[in-house]
Amino acid sequence: MRGAWPWPMRWTLPFLLAGLSLLASAWIAWFQHREYAEAVEREEIQRLKDRLTIEQTRLEVQLGQRNLAQVRAILSGLGLRRHLQHAWLIAPDGQVAAALSRIEIGVPWSTIHSRLTPQLAQALEAPAPPAPILHVRRLAESELLVAQATIRPGHRLIVVSDLALPLAERLAGARSILLTQSLAPFLLALTLGILLHGLWLRRAARLARAAEALGTGDFSSRAALSGSDELAHLGVAFDRMAERIATQHTHILRLASLIEHSPLVAIVWRNAPGWPVEFVSDNISRWGFEKQDLLSGRLQYADLIHPDDLPAITADVEQHLAHGPDRYVQTYRLRDGFGHWRWIEDHTWLLRDESGAVVSIQGVLLDISAHREAEVALRLKTQELIERNAELERFAQATIDRELQMLRLKQEINELSLALGRAPPYRLPEAADHEAGASP
Amino acid sequence: MRKAWLVALLLLGCASPPEPALRLALNAWIGYDPFVLAQAWGLTDPRRLRVVELVSNSESQRAFANDSAEAAAMTLDEALRLADAGVPLRIIAVLDVSDGADAILARPEITTPSGLKGRRIGVETSAVGHLVLSHFLAHAGLSWADVDVVAIEAGQHQAALTGGRVDAIVTFEPIKSMLLRHGFRLLYDSRAMPETIFDVLVVRPEFSDTSRLLAAWREGMTALMHDPRKAAETLARGTGLSAEEYLAALQGLRFIPPAESVRLLTASAGRAAPLETRAQPIVKELLALGLLRQAPNWTALLAPGKEGR
């Protein structure tokens, strides 16, 4: 969206509002123009009819009295009608008997007709309607009104009026009203736009800038919006969020630092074949790996596990993925970036979505190679001790057995002596005596 | 559709309202014909100036007084009377001065001015004819009570005289020449009252752009002077005169060049405008006749126009 619309909303909105207002005004103006055009045509036709109806009577009276001067006065008087372009009274002999300008008087109508525009000339080829009908019509695709009437005896009255001027005058008259009508919403829209710009959008831009800064890692960025409107609330919420993020970021940094300085390697795998690595802590470099090699998938984690351990590990993982438990510990050998095998203790826990599908495998790896070696050494030492002990036991057993046989022999002698009524020759401990007596 | 939208946008924009053509009302007096010629020969832009030819002085005065025309050509006394009646106007140019073109013609059997005693005389009372008749009566030794004044507008002059409704008529060119051709007798003309009947161009005070009017006048007069014969052929149409008769009729007046017009209308330091000075007798007469209620405010009336562009 940002790429599609290059200007910030705080500028766009005022202009948009003002533009929409102008557009609405233009639409109203267009609509009014149509209405005015129809109204002007209607009114002008009616005015022309009203006026010419009177003139028809006057002309017939004056022609009846053969008062040509008065006839010409009537025609020339029509010239005061601002919209009237031509007026001719054509005598039965085809000559102009009266006109707006006296220089057309006596001129053959055919001469004047030939000077007219083709459209007007064509329209005037039609004969005048019979008296007393006055025919007024608008020429197609033109702003001319043409009126024709028959003036008895045998004269033809032609009047041409221009609609363009009354329409233009009407529009000009309406313009101040229209401008007022247009200006009010325009100013209102502009004011609203400016108010929005000042009170809302400028602060929104400030909020956006703070969010952008936060997004680029500036955790000290705050909107610090004043007021008590929704935007101010949003600003306060944002600042709180930024504060929390900053705290969490500090916390994460500490954790990261701790991990960085610990033997633990934090790692996240995707649940996908080869266990591609999604995340790994920076201290993986200690094991000779380029972090990016793991993240890019150039190195698949499964490929690094010792081939002897991999089948068991794979099976174990699949078991956990399928049936849990979701926390488990595995120990295996991993080939490090230096090409050495390391014993890894892998503490893993699984993250599942709502459907139970594993979405992430997270783990902490601990290099237990030294421990493992010590353990092996200890096991060997223990074995040795056990073996030695067994040997000692065997030796001791042999010695004791002989002693016990001696004791039993002495006891038997003592018993024989007693049976013989003699004093036992051997002093024997009581337990041994008993033991010797209890033994088979 | 697109055009309508364009109109709508123009409406919202700052397009100037359309300026209608300025209407100049004038009567059939040949002294105004340079305007008619300028329009007929396309020397003016019809979208900016429309010359409306009316048949009488009274009609052009009515058109001007009633806002049917923004400008009018009329005689000085008519202009003074209109201003006195409360019609706001400015005199921006002096067009011509009558030198025989205004006249009184009578039926052929009336051979002397005094012969009109007890006769009906037709005159356009609201116009200059009243002044001409006043001079004539003084010249003939008659009083207003000696004649029967019949108010007749110029468009009816010919019909009134030929039809016998009046015995004499106070008229002007080209009606004068036409009546002479019909055998009516000339009893008096404006040669007897030189530098009295001035024709002026008046506009509404709010109308400041006089350039198109003055340009039309200059163009028409130049064309008329440059080729009078051809101009006469055009202008004689509808007057009932031939081109020759028309040219002869033109001898009854003198056109005022623009420079002289400006001089006549311009007051110099401490001195009244020459037109004001020359008009004093007329003003006195009009006041005496009761045709003016008060002396004109010349400062407000005279506003020599400039062509400018």
Side-chain angles (χ1 to χ4, degrees):
Chain A
M1 187 63 189
R2 185 174 173 172
W5 190 254
W7 300 295
M9 197 50 69
R10 67 181 185 280
W11 292 115
T12 302
L13 195 63
F15 284 107
L16 190 68
L17 285 172
L20 283 174
S21 159
L22 280 178
L23 201 63
S25 300
W27 184 81
I28 291 168
W30 172 76
F31 197 72
Q32 282 190 342
H33 176 266
R34 272 189 9 170
E35 283 194 336
Y36 285 154
E38 289 169 6
V40 164
E41 181 179 341
R42 202 167 48 242
E43 289 167 11
E44 284 300 309
I45 286 176
Q46 194 54 50
R47 276 185 197 148
L48 207 53
K49 280 184 174 176
D50 292 346
R51 174 71 188 260
L52 294 183
T53 300
I54 297 168
E55 304 304 356
Q56 267 181 298
T57 308
R58 292 177 67 200
L59 286 169
E60 286 193 359
V61 168
Q62 296 302 327
L63 281 172
Q65 295 175 359
R66 299 183 186 280
N67 191 349
L68 215 55
Q70 203 57 31
V71 167
R72 287 170 184 168
I74 292 168
L75 258 289
S76 63
L78 289 174
L80 292 172
R81 279 182 60 84
R82 201 192 288 276
H83 315 143
L84 209 134
Q85 283 195 332
H86 304 288
W88 298 287
L89 183 70
I90 303 159
D93 63 359
Q95 290 203 330
V96 174
L100 289 185
S101 174
R102 72 166 190 264
I103 63 168
E104 290 180 327
I105 293 170
V107 177
W109 166 243
S110 56
T111 306
I112 291 173
H113 185 265
S114 65
R115 292 178 197 150
L116 301 176
T117 62
Q119 192 187 19
L120 183 57
Q122 190 182 2
L124 293 178
E125 281 170 4
I133 299 169
L134 175 66
H135 188 199
V136 182
R137 69 187 178 98
R138 181 178 181 169
L139 291 190
E141 300 297 318
S142 162
E143 288 174 327
L144 292 181
L145 287 181
V146 176
Q148 287 202 78
T150 297
I151 307 294
R152 287 171 290 218
H155 288 68
R156 180 184 177 194
L157 175 67
I158 297 171
V159 173
V160 179
S161 185
D162 189 2
L163 276 176
L165 190 59
L167 177 60
E169 284 172 345
R170 176 70 67 88
L171 291 175
R175 188 169 53 214
S176 61
I177 299 170
L178 186 63
L179 277 177
T180 309
Q181 286 175 345
S182 305
L183 202 59
F186 175 76
L187 288 176
L188 197 65
L190 200 62
T191 307
L192 184 64
I194 291 168
L195 279 174
L196 281 174
H197 172 86
L199 296 179
W200 218 77
L201 296 173
R202 203 170 53 177
R203 294 156 71 223
R206 203 162 136 189
L207 183 61
R209 281 196 299 273
E212 275 179 15
L214 189 68
T216 54
D218 180 6
F219 296 102
S220 65
S221 170
R222 299 291 182 273
L225 298 183
S226 57
S228 56
D229 59 351
E230 292 82 354
L231 193 63
H233 291 313
L234 193 62
V236 169
F238 172 82
D239 287 350
R240 281 188 195 145
M241 183 184 74
E243 192 68 43
R244 195 168 59 251
I245 289 172
T247 307
Q248 287 173 347
H249 180 68
T250 307
H251 187 61
I252 287 167
L253 284 179
R254 282 179 186 162
L255 277 177
S257 177
L258 283 172
I259 290 172
E260 207 59 35
H261 293 90
S262 76
L264 294 173
V265 171
I267 190 163
V268 178
W269 299 276
R270 272 194 292 124
N271 181 18
W275 305 321
V277 175
E278 269 187 353
F279 168 81
V280 66
S281 56
D282 291 340
N283 56 357
I284 192 72
S285 60
R286 279 195 227 147
W287 295 355
F289 290 115
E290 286 293 332
K291 185 176 176 178
Q292 197 53 36
D293 289 344
L294 288 164
L295 294 176
S296 67
R298 201 175 71 77
L299 293 177
Q300 292 285 317
Y301 194 80
D303 296 341
L304 302 174
I305 296 175
H306 197 285
D308 293 345
D309 300 337
L310 186 60
I313 292 297
T314 303
D316 190 39
V317 169
E318 283 173 0
Q319 175 68 23
H320 283 286
L321 291 177
H323 306 293
D326 289 351
R327 275 183 175 275
Y328 54 92
V329 179
Q330 293 171 314
T331 305
Y332 49 82
R333 282 164 290 177
L334 189 79
R335 191 181 69 242
D336 67 14
F338 307 115
H340 302 143
W341 292 105
R342 289 174 184 262
W343 278 99
I344 300 298
E345 190 172 85
D346 179 347
H347 295 256
T348 304
W349 60 95
L350 305 177
L351 293 183
R352 296 180 187 272
D353 62 13
E354 290 171 355
S355 66
V358 173
V359 292
S360 180
I361 307 170
Q362 304 188 342
V364 174
L365 308 179
L366 181 63
D367 184 358
I368 56 168
S369 299
H371 176 71
R372 188 76 179 189
E373 283 167 12
E375 196 179 64
V376 169
L378 183 62
R379 197 183 303 132
L380 289 173
K381 193 74 179 175
T382 305
Q383 188 64 38
E384 185 186 340
L385 289 171
I386 289 168
E387 284 173 3
R388 281 187 187 177
N389 190 48
E391 194 177 341
L392 282 169
E393 278 181 357
R394 281 195 304 275
F395 175 75
Q397 193 64 47
T399 309
I400 290 167
D401 283 351
R402 195 167 54 242
E403 283 296 317
L404 285 172
Q405 284 175 356
M406 285 302 291
L407 278 171
R408 273 197 298 270
L409 185 60
K410 287 178 178 178
Q411 192 173 2
E412 285 175 5
I413 293 168
N414 282 349
E415 286 172 354
L416 282 172
S417 297
L418 283 171
L420 293 171
R422 294 178 188 170
Y426 298 101
R427 271 184 76 87
L428 293 175
E430 203 173 315
D433 197 29
H434 172 73
E435 194 176 321
S439 59
Chain B
M1 183 75 165
R2 188 180 297 172
K3 187 180 173 186
W5 270 103
L6 188 65
V7 170
L9 287 174
L10 281 175
L11 269 172
L12 286 173
C14 298
S16 307
E19 191 181 3
L22 180 111
R23 292 167 296 183
L24 168 63
L26 42 83
N27 65 10
W29 165 244
I30 59 171
Y32 305 146
D33 276 358
F35 283 122
V36 178
L37 188 65
Q39 178 167 268
W41 283 7
L43 304 174
T44 61
D45 183 350
R47 292 168 304 181
R48 300 191 73 217
L49 177 64
R50 169 181 286 195
V51 178
V52 183
E53 298 171 66
L54 302 170
V55 288
S56 71
N57 307 40
S58 303
E59 199 167 340
S60 59
Q61 285 178 54
R62 276 195 294 271
F64 181 78
N66 298 326
D67 288 330
S68 294
E70 290 74 32
M74 58 184 69
T75 58
L76 177 62
D77 62 294
E78 289 165 357
L80 295 178
R81 289 169 67 183
L82 266 187
D84 189 62
V87 177
L89 61 87
R90 297 279 182 273
I91 298 170
I92 61 165
V94 183
L95 304 177
D96 62 76
V97 58
S98 180
D99 189 24
D102 289 274
I104 295 178
L105 291 100
R107 297 160 61 87
E109 62 268 25
I110 301 170
T111 54
T112 61
S114 57
L116 283 178
K117 187 173 183 180
R119 301 278 188 162
R120 285 170 299 168
I121 301 176
V123 64
E124 200 169 1
T125 51
S126 61
V128 68
H130 200 109
L131 188 67
V132 175
L133 182 57
S134 173
H135 276 250
F136 168 76
L137 292 174
H139 167 77
L142 299 172
S143 70
W144 288 96
D146 291 331
V147 292
D148 183 9
V149 176
V150 180
I152 298 175
E153 290 200 359
Q156 296 291 317
H157 283 180
Q158 188 180 352
L161 193 57
T162 54
R165 282 173 57 201
V166 292
D167 301 303
I169 194 86
V170 184
T171 191
F172 51 83
E173 291 288 10
I175 304 165
K176 173 194 165 190
S177 293
M178 209 154 42
L179 289 172
L180 282 173
R181 197 171 62 188
H182 282 80
F184 292 98
R185 188 181 300 276
L186 177 68
L187 294 182
Y188 184 80
D189 66 31
S190 53
R191 282 176 298 183
M193 42 194 298
E195 301 289 306
T196 303
I197 304 175
F198 287 97
D199 282 288
V200 294
L201 182 60
V202 301
V203 296
R204 290 269 174 191
E206 65 270 19
F207 182 70
S208 57
D209 180 13
T210 57
S211 60
R212 68 185 100 166
L213 281 168
L214 298 174
W217 174 254
R218 180 178 48 75
E219 292 283 348
M221 205 162 62
T222 304
L224 182 60
M225 298 302 174
H226 179 71
D227 194 346
R229 175 75 197 179
K230 190 179 170 191
E233 283 171 1
T234 298
L235 294 168
R237 288 181 206 151
T239 61
L241 303 180
S242 65
E244 289 75 17
E245 287 170 326
Y246 183 88
L247 285 172
L250 279 180
Q251 301 307 309
L253 62 95
R254 180 174 70 87
F255 287 116
I256 306 288
E260 187 182 344
S261 167
V262 172
R263 189 183 61 77
L264 284 170
L265 295 174
T266 307
S268 52
R271 297 176 63 184
L275 186 68
E276 179 185 344
T277 308
R278 292 190 196 184
Q280 287 310 316
I282 307 170
V283 170
K284 279 183 188 171
E285 196 171 346
L286 292 173
L287 286 167
L289 289 168
L291 297 176
L292 284 184
R293 293 173 300 175
Q294 58 187 8
N297 177 0
W298 290 98
T299 309
L301 276 176
L302 303 183
K306 293 175 184 174
E307 274 194 53
R309 51 185 169 148

